[in-house]
Amino acid sequence: MQRILSSRLSAHVGETVRVAGWIHRRRLLKSVAFLILRDAAGLTQIVVSEESVRAQLETLLEETAVAVIGTVIEEPSAPGGVEITSPVIEPLTDPAEPVPFDLYRPDLRASLPTMLDHAPVALRHPKLAAVHRIGAAAVGGFRTALEAMSFVEIHTPKIVGTATESGANVFKLDYFGRPAYLAQSPQLYKQIMVGVFERVYEVGPVFRAEPSDTARHLASYTSLDAEMGFIEDHRDVIAACHATVAGMLADIQAKAGPSLELLDVAMPALTEKPVVVHFADVLEMISKATGEDVTAEPDLAPAHERWIGEWALREHGSDFVFVEGYPTAHRAFYTHPDPARPGYSRAIDLIFRGLELVSGGQRLHRHADYVRTLTERGETDLSAYAGYLDAMRYGMPPHGGFAFGLERFLARLLDVPNIRQVTLFPRDLHRLAP
Ligand code: AMO
């Protein structure tokens, strides 16, 4: 007999069906017992009146995987408006051991470390699972939006010979006796691939040996990268990034509606045109507003990001604000300076609800500029960059791109204080399992 998912049962009233899932909860009342079955689509109420089936249910603990054959009847008070009666229960595994938490309660009552230690079971909680359904929809939206703009998906090596973002936070490894690193980003490869496809994107893991314990840094996160050629300047990158955010939000709403509802998510406000403010103006505004002169700061501190996030919401009704023009010296070597404003660059960040979500901007594209910049930054041996520099040597158009951290996006979207709450199996200073 074909298995029917919980969400489809209402189309089978009066029929005998087979359902399968996990025992979410047992309610053993005096006269009757209920088995609440959980499958990928939701919950099903199964009414157990027969003595022998009840005795069997008493031996089967929560989270045992079972199949049930029974009759579907209408029951307005049950999930989906139907329930199953006269069940025959077939355990699909040995009876489970007692689980460390009550997964049937509306919220998982456990500390974050306990939840993470028991992630394989904790993630079955409908609210935790909902987080990652929203994540899946966000990634789907990222792909759809970029494909619609003619970006081509690529997959680049995660074991690399050069650090891309900075030398400090790379994981070193032994590569057949040679030193190698885990990729901190697909930066160099996505730029190289602009020379092939003009527009490329990648979804994949990246690795940062973050030495400190913060609520917004992981040692491994999912990077959503894009890179595009033949741009005028970084404003073209902002436009593409803004359209990508719109696509992600649209797909989340279209594909993860029930999860958004379960988690009571307030969808962010995105204005039709991007809100853009220059780095120097941000510091100017903050100095004016707080009375503390921060105009000489080389970067935005977390408190500054929060400030500009609140400003964007107050002044423009937007949960997103692009900051352009970060000081060149504080950005990666591939950053394109702003020819009109010495010291400032065409680098951008996108701040989402007060947290940096995206970095990007226009890149250098002339071979000579790379040689000069790398040398000025103290790189003595450019052979590590040979392939990358070849791409620049043989005709690279003006180009730029951006990268989102998926977990950061989810943390702000779902308004959780710690990025680990929205990461499937977080990796940090202290955690390597599960
Ligand atoms: P950057 O290093 O700023 O830029 O990273 C881009 C985005 O990735 C997220 N992120 C992180 N998320 C979780 N844990 C971390 N340790 C972590 N580090 C970064 C943030 C950040 O905005 N190559 C450039 C991108 C580009 O210019 O295209 C880069 O990697 O959301």
Side-chain angles (χ1 to χ4, degrees), residues 98-383:
V99 285
F101 342 87
D102 292 331
L103 290 174
Y104 57 79
R105 293 193 190 279
D107 290 288
L108 202 53
R109 292 184 197 164
S111 68
L112 182 58
T114 308
M115 269 190 225
L116 297 179
D117 287 344
H118 296 281
V121 192
L123 288 167
R124 294 182 186 184
H125 189 281
K127 283 195 176 168
L128 269 68
V131 169
H132 300 288
R133 276 194 193 272
I134 294 170
V139 174
F142 180 80
R143 287 197 162 100
T144 310
L146 288 165
E147 295 275 344
M149 293 186 278
S150 305
F151 283 72
V152 177
E153 184 162 14
I154 57 171
H155 305 278
T156 66
K158 301 303 158 213
I159 302 176
V160 296
T162 40
T164 53
E165 305 307 327
S166 84
N169 62 353
V170 285
F171 283 110
K172 270 203 177 134
L173 56 94
D174 172 43
Y175 189 69
F176 304 119
R178 282 191 286 160
Y181 310 100
L182 290 178
Q184 294 166 296
S185 76
Q187 183 65 35
L188 308 192
Y189 291 101
K190 69 175 178 173
Q191 287 185 253
I192 290 172
M193 290 305 291
V194 165
V196 179
F197 293 131
E198 294 189 21
R199 295 181 161 207
V200 295
Y201 74 94
E202 176 162 8
V203 175
V206 295
F207 307 92
R208 307 274 173 108
E210 298 288 351
S212 52
D213 241 335
T214 81
R216 59 208 176 96
H217 288 98
L218 299 162
S220 166
Y221 70 91
T222 306
S223 188
L224 309 181
D225 273 85
E227 197 75 14
M228 59 201 280
F230 298 100
I231 61 171
E232 205 59 52
D233 60 23
H234 63 289
R235 288 294 181 105
D236 289 339
V237 175
I238 288 179
C241 184
H242 184 257
T244 305
V245 173
M248 290 166 74
L249 296 179
D251 256 28
I252 289 171
Q253 264 179 316
K255 294 182 183 158
S259 296
L260 292 173
E261 216 167 284
L262 183 65
L263 297 177
D264 203 13
V265 177
M267 283 303 278
L270 181 73
T271 44
E272 203 188 314
K273 291 221 169 86
V275 178
V276 186
V277 53
H278 195 277
F279 176 84
D281 296 335
V282 175
L283 293 183
E284 191 82 27
M285 284 194 286
I286 293 176
S287 300
K288 235 183 230 158
T290 62
E292 183 197 347
D293 184 3
V294 295
T295 50
E297 293 289 321
D299 200 358
L300 297 188
H304 299 151
E305 291 178 353
R306 283 195 293 276
W307 193 95
I308 199 65
E310 282 165 20
W311 172 86
L313 190 59
R314 197 171 60 238
E315 300 293 325
H316 296 277
S318 176
D319 279 307
F320 297 88
V321 50
F322 286 92
V323 178
E324 64 180 0
Y326 284 78
T328 315
H330 261 260
R331 300 293 284 219
F333 69 87
Y334 46 78
T335 303
H336 197 295
D338 181 352
R341 275 182 95 158
Y344 294 103
S345 75
R346 287 182 173 170
I348 61 160
D349 272 7
L350 173 60
I351 313 293
F352 173 27
R353 290 179 172 161
L355 180 71
E356 176 205 318
L357 167 67
V358 173
S359 280
Q362 184 178 352
R363 330 295 189 185
L364 298 173
H365 63 281
R366 293 194 168 83
H367 182 258
D369 289 343
Y370 275 99
V371 173
R372 194 188 61 250
T373 303
L374 283 166
T375 310
E376 276 171 8
R377 291 193 182 219
E379 296 282 344
T380 46
D381 179 11
L382 297 191
S383 68

